[in-house]
Amino acid sequence: MSRSLRTRLARPVPAVAAVTAMALLARLWALGWRVFHQDEGRVGGWILRYMETGAWEYRPIIHGPFIPHVNGVLFSWFGASDFLARFPMALVGGLLPLTALLLRERLRDSEVVALAVFLAANPLLLYYSRFMRNDMLIAAFMFAAVAFAVRAYDAERPLLLVPAALAFALAFTTKENALAYPISWVGAGVLVFDARVLLARERGTDVLAAARERVGELDAARLSGFAVAAVGGLFVFAGTFLAFYAPLPVTSPVDALTGATVGVWDKLDTWLSAGMRDHAYIPYFIYYAKVLAYTSLPLAAFAAAGFLADRYGGSDTRGFVGFCFFWGLSGLFGYPLITDITAPWSAINVAVPLAVPAAVGLAGLWRLTRRAYERRDRPGTVGFALGAATLVLAAAIGGGVAAETSYLNPQSPDLGEDGVMVQYAQPAGEMQPVLRSIEREAPANAGTDVLYYGDKLSDDEVWDEDPPPAWFDRLPLPWYTEKANATVDDTTNASVACGTDAPVVIALNPGHGGPELVADDVGDCLRERGYTESVYQQYQSNRPLHFFLAPGVAENGA
């Protein structure tokens, strides 16, 4: 590679563009392979129901309307699939590194590139960019909102407040913890301001006077431009929020406005009161610390180093670096308080803002390593060796965890202590061939395509406003049967199950029992008729689902 080409690629714009292209490729590669997590199946089933009935209203159990509305459009255009269901998350996560370019006034060129690398390659962000959940979306939209607002101020381009408002609004259409972000920002801003006041006192300057002087430099035209843009951003926020949250079908403008405001608040209040579960704080904090240690150790270590170096390493202390560090730290200490389950995806809200001080730390180590190499003396050789070894080790740890979790074993219950990457409701084992058999048999079969057997999987209730209890106990299987338009039935009668002509019988014992009860009830009789049996865990390590496939189905590749 020529020196001129290396120089061009080292510049922020082409380097970040290349990183973004690789981020998109990494997220789209084999995107539909992993079997749906139960949360993915639950939201996916509700989307299919919404497409069938045309009726939608906000339900906190599936969080905000972004995924139902966006995926509903995609499914209506191209048909439902695992790949397409995860595509919006992969697209947003893959484009997230581009936001680094908005921070060019706050970061050095090398830090901008390092930030893009962290946002592209962090294993936690990569895994949940390939997952149909809102967590990657809200973290990306909120970070983009901050980046656009900062760029609007730095470049004196008030119109950038409009995309900032749009990103902020989209974040509020994803998940309820959007309300926690402004609280984190205020807290982080107070800490940064306090540090500035203390630093100004040490230097004998007046930070408030400096701030007043800075405001005084803004002429009326600039202030009016920002005011107009802010008003425009407010309209964009309100319009986006109302468009997403208005109940469907729209009966009248008044009902749409009421449903998107008062109706949402009434249900949101229920979620907020339920979110503060009565659980011990310390175990939850330890869990999230483990998640970050397993998935984001290089990022966390570089974030701490970058924050300390920026704050204490020289006179040029940058408030934005400290702001992002305190923002991420508030999530680490705050989410153990507001979440009702231990779930690794909540740590995304910590990792994304910490990527900024991490970029400062990584770029700083790169500069030190390069300078040590250029010295050509013994201390320089030692410094270069230590710096290069640290960089290689960080890349190996991050790359190894990313490859293992997103590609090699994305369904494994053994990924990290206590399953700190793969959440417990992810089905284990490769049941993809069985699921493909259901999709393949449903169009040609005239009767029942899938028969559920067992108390937990059977229910006489039908889907009204909410699914019946058995629908939840079957997850994520309803997503696969419904998108295949399969005819589904259930029974608790062993004789009925033994005499069925359904191509696929799925059994789960009462009380999550072991396989011996299934064998006693229906296993022997179905095997005598030529059915073949496969067992897969509905969760990571329990609730074994027994799939019995008719002879012809088994011969077709199940």
Side-chain angles (χ1 to χ4, degrees):
M1 182 184 297
S2 67
R3 185 172 181 177
S4 60
L5 179 58
R6 289 197 302 269
T7 302
R8 288 197 298 271
L9 291 178
R11 294 171 182 168
V13 173
V16 170
V19 170
T20 303
M22 290 186 287
L24 286 169
L25 178 61
R27 282 152 176 79
L28 296 175
W29 179 265
L31 182 60
W33 183 84
R34 177 177 54 80
V35 172
F36 256 31
H37 182 279
Q38 294 203 32
D39 278 5
E40 292 178 294
R42 176 165 50 88
V43 177
W46 241 300
I47 296 172
L48 296 177
R49 177 72 173 180
Y50 156 46
M51 293 176 62
E52 178 184 349
T53 63
W56 179 89
E57 63 180 32
Y58 168 61
R59 287 181 171 84
I61 191 174
I62 58 172
H63 300 302
F66 184 91
I67 290 178
H69 287 334
V70 172
N71 279 7
V73 172
L74 292 177
F75 294 169
S76 65
W77 288 351
F78 305 107
S81 68
D82 291 9
F83 177 93
L84 207 58
R86 295 165 178 153
F87 178 76
M89 280 56 65
L91 181 63
V92 171
L95 293 177
L96 180 60
L98 288 177
T99 58
L101 293 174
L102 297 171
L103 303 173
R104 297 195 299 276
E105 299 295 328
R106 302 296 174 120
L107 302 174
R108 298 183 177 94
D109 287 354
S110 58
E111 293 168 349
V112 169
V113 177
L115 174 58
V117 170
F118 275 120
L119 295 177
N122 176 263
L124 183 67
L125 305 187
L126 175 61
Y127 187 88
Y128 286 105
S129 292
R130 299 164 54 84
F131 198 108
M132 193 180 70
R133 276 194 64 92
N134 294 285
D135 304 87
M136 189 64 238
L137 295 173
I138 187 173
F141 287 142
M142 285 298 191
F143 190 79
V146 170
F148 272 113
V150 168
R151 185 63 180 172
Y153 177 82
D154 291 340
E156 295 188 1
R157 297 174 59 184
L159 285 179
L160 289 178
L161 292 179
V162 175
L166 177 61
F168 191 55
L170 290 175
F172 271 83
T173 68
T174 58
K175 199 173 180 182
E176 296 79 2
N177 62 306
L179 293 170
Y181 270 83
I183 298 174
S184 293
W185 294 341
V186 170
V190 168
L191 291 175
V192 170
F193 179 76
D194 181 68
R196 287 293 178 88
V197 171
L198 293 177
L199 182 60
R201 180 179 298 174
E202 290 294 325
R203 294 176 175 176
T205 59
D206 187 345
V207 68
L208 294 178
R212 286 193 296 268
E213 182 180 351
R214 174 61 176 159
V215 172
E217 294 174 357
L218 299 176
D219 56 33
R222 291 176 181 175
L223 287 175
S224 62
F226 276 99
V228 170
V231 172
L234 183 61
F235 277 103
V236 167
F237 178 90
T240 303
F241 188 92
L242 294 176
F244 272 91
Y245 276 99
L248 296 176
V250 176
T251 56
S252 71
V254 174
D255 289 342
L257 180 62
T258 302
T261 54
V262 177
V264 169
W265 177 255
D266 288 342
K267 295 177 180 179
L268 180 63
D269 183 62
T270 301
W271 181 87
L272 289 174
S273 61
M276 301 292 188
R277 300 289 184 182
D278 184 18
H279 60 255
Y281 177 85
I282 297 299
Y284 273 58
F285 176 80
I286 292 174
Y287 172 82
Y288 285 113
K290 286 181 177 179
V291 170
L292 288 172
Y294 178 71
T295 67
S296 308
L297 183 60
L299 183 147
F302 280 119
F307 168 74
L308 293 175
D310 185 80
R311 190 176 180 88
Y312 303 111
S315 59
D316 187 22
T317 299
R318 291 169 289 180
F320 185 70
V321 175
F323 174 83
C324 290
F325 182 79
F326 293 133
W327 170 9
L329 212 60
S330 69
L332 175 62
F333 286 96
Y335 276 92
L337 180 64
I338 66 175
T339 55
D340 59 344
I341 62 171
T342 52
W345 47 71
S346 293
I348 295 171
N349 301 283
V350 179
V352 169
L354 285 184
V356 171
V360 174
L362 177 60
L365 178 61
W366 170 259
R367 290 193 302 273
L368 290 174
T369 304
R370 188 178 59 187
R371 290 170 189 166
Y373 175 78
E374 292 171 350
R375 289 180 60 178
R376 306 287 184 173
D377 56 11
R378 184 178 179 83
T381 301
V382 174
F384 171 75
L386 291 176
T390 303
L391 291 171
V392 170
L393 180 62
I397 292 175
V401 174
E404 180 73 11
T405 54
S406 287
Y407 307 110
L408 301 179
N409 292 294
Q411 301 171 176
S412 172
D414 302 320
L415 291 180
E417 186 178 356
D418 300 327
V420 294
M421 174 66 93
V422 181
Q423 206 257 359
Y424 70 87
Q426 170 64 52
E430 298 182 12
M431 66 173 73
Q432 290 90 338
V434 174
L435 299 174
R436 286 196 296 268
S437 294
I438 294 174
E439 295 179 347
R440 186 169 53 244
E441 292 295 319
N445 189 54
T448 299
D449 300 312
V450 176
L451 178 69
Y452 288 101
Y453 169 73
D455 288 345
K456 272 287 184 181
L457 303 181
S458 300
D459 203 317
D460 293 332
E461 297 182 40
V462 296
W463 188 317
D464 188 15
E465 290 187 1
D466 294 327
W471 186 87
F472 291 96
D473 286 321
R474 297 170 182 174
L475 289 173
L477 300 178
W479 158 256
Y480 292 98
T481 58
E482 290 166 21
K483 73 185 180 73
N485 200 27
T487 301
V488 174
D489 200 357
D490 58 73
T491 184
T492 57
N493 189 319
S495 298
V496 172
C498 286
T500 186
D501 291 326
V504 180
V505 179
I506 303 174
L508 176 68
N509 290 309
H512 310 172
E516 67 281 0
L517 295 179
V518 172
D520 290 344
D521 289 349
V522 299
D524 291 340
C525 65
L526 288 174
R527 281 189 289 269
E528 288 175 0
R529 295 178 54 201
Y531 279 72
T532 57
E533 180 182 7
S534 299
V535 182
Y536 301 102
Q537 299 295 339
Q538 190 177 12
Y539 289 92
Q540 279 191 355
S541 57
N542 60 16
R543 287 183 64 116
L545 287 172
H546 298 253
F547 293 82
F548 297 92
L549 279 72
V553 177
E555 291 173 0
N556 284 334

